[in-house]
Amino acid sequence: MDARLQKQLEFIREIDKVKSVFRKTWLLDQSRYENDAEHAWHLAVLAAVLEEYAETPMDTARVIRMVLIHDLVEIDAGDVMIYAEADRAGQEEKELAAAERIFALLPDDQARDFRALWDEFEARRTPEAIFARGLDRFAPILHNFHTRGRAWREHGVTAEQVRRINQPIKDASAALWQVASDWIDQAVDNGWLIGP
Amino acid sequence: MDARLQKQLEFIREIDKVKSVFRKTWLLDQSRYENDAEHAWHLAVLAAVLEEYAETPMDTARVIRMVLIHDLVEIDAGDVMIYAEADRAGQEEKELAAAERIFALLPDDQARDFRALWDEFEARRTPEAIFARGLDRFAPILHNFHTRGRAWREHGVTAEQVRRINQPIKDASAALWQVASDWIDQAVDNGWLIGP
């Protein structure tokens, strides 16, 4: 087999592992935690459905490619809950090392392209990265709100944390931030999230 | 909340269910079967990585959108293994009914667009649909070959079935069909697939 295709297939096999990286987000039916592959898939569909709410005109196809690969680094670095602020120390270095290893499995030109897309997501400066990051924060709030705050309750998360840490949603879309804010307020009222 | 956004969020919640539709494909680590959301995610990345092998020039962004939503109908219709040829009777009608229900959750314009994309995938006539369908057939062969034919062995699948049923790979890409053919031959030699 051609060396180029062989590298591409090796990458495709390697990323199968992200299906076994579980996040601290319950599926809506509360049967289990969601994994990174499912999460990336859901974000890609969110991008297609919610593109009209982006603050800045952007290329949705690029957002979709970005969210599809944004968590591949967790194959090596693992998932750390966004509210586990103390545990996140060192996570950035681990993710950088993972990006070095995983994207390099691809042929050079694709390794550069995929890595650039991941770097763009991490840097959060382009309209596409800002929207992708906003969706990445919006989805877990949707899941938490519709599971009576299950993961929030399990991990003692406060409304102050949820509002502060999820500001990227506001940068991505005022409309989605309004929805998220309403859910957070209702969650506090319902005792699913530590208020005020 | 705005009625349009409410519909979009209802669709987004509904499709969470596809994470619980399990296929007859083992993850590469053989820990469990793969579900439809993970499968759709993997196909989307395959489209991005393998686009250069398409027989006909095509719009990869459109292929990606297509594979992301191609199995949503299985929320209602369930997954039937492609080699369970007798069990597939009636499956098409079930999938059509599911498409009617699920895409209609979206606002009318998006319902039409998503449904058109799904219809296009099913019709297998455009370059994008032909490539998407080819990837949909290629991925399970990759998984089977790299798990010593586990699902093939469990379901008594024959090489004749695998070669015949996966012809869409050939229409999508001669290069990928060559890889798949080699894997099928090797699987027969290794006793992972009933030959010749």
Side-chain angles (χ1 to χ4, degrees), chain A:
Chain A
M1 192 193 306
D2 178 77
R4 178 173 174 86
L5 182 48
Q6 203 153 6
K7 282 185 159 204
Q8 290 162 325
L9 294 176
E10 194 182 330
F11 175 79
I12 285 163
R13 287 200 304 276
E14 176 66 21
I15 67 173
D16 203 59
K17 293 176 185 166
V18 92
K19 299 172 187 172
S20 301
V21 178
F22 285 88
R23 302 160 46 77
K24 299 284 183 294
T25 305
W26 287 90
L27 295 189
L28 292 180
D29 69 4
Q30 299 193 47
S31 56
R32 59 171 172 83
Y33 282 144
E34 180 187 45
N35 67 55
D36 275 347
E38 298 165 325
H39 164 64
W41 167 80
H42 216 160
L43 291 191
V45 182
L46 260 77
V49 172
L50 302 176
E51 56 187 351
E52 69 197 80
Y53 302 105
E55 282 311 298
T56 316
M58 40 137 230
D59 174 3
T60 305
R62 192 166 177 78
V63 175
I64 291 176
R65 283 192 182 229
M66 212 177 272
V67 296
L68 287 172
I69 60 145
H70 80 291
D71 271 343
L72 290 182
V73 292
E74 295 190 357
I75 290 172
D76 292 347
D79 178 73
V80 178
M81 200 192 197
I82 204 158
Y83 304 113
E85 299 180 65
D87 299 346
R88 294 194 64 82
Q91 192 63 10
E92 198 173 327
E93 288 67 32
K94 282 187 211 161
E95 292 187 354
L96 270 168
E100 287 294 327
R101 181 186 75 78
I102 295 164
F103 296 123
L105 295 171
L106 284 165
D108 290 348
D109 58 321
Q110 289 187 323
R112 273 194 305 274
D113 289 351
F114 277 63
R115 175 61 191 267
L117 203 59
W118 184 79
D119 286 340
E120 183 181 337
F121 177 81
E122 290 294 310
R124 307 166 213 183
R125 275 191 295 262
T126 63
E128 287 78 12
I130 290 167
F131 194 64
R133 173 69 55 162
L135 294 179
D136 190 33
R137 297 294 171 84
F138 182 76
I141 298 181
L142 180 144
H143 275 78
N144 265 298
F145 180 74
H146 291 96
T147 56
R148 307 170 63 88
R150 183 150 174 190
W152 287 335
R153 285 184 284 117
E154 285 176 341
H155 298 93
V157 175
T158 68
E160 182 278 325
Q161 283 183 296
V162 179
R163 289 194 189 97
R164 172 169 48 85
I165 292 177
N166 292 298
Q167 286 294 314
I169 302 172
K170 196 173 178 177
D171 301 332
S173 164
L176 296 183
W177 179 243
Q178 185 58 57
V179 173
S181 298
D182 290 349
W183 284 340
I184 295 165
D185 292 346
Q186 272 182 258
V188 171
D189 290 347
N190 295 343
W192 303 340
L193 190 55
I194 302 167

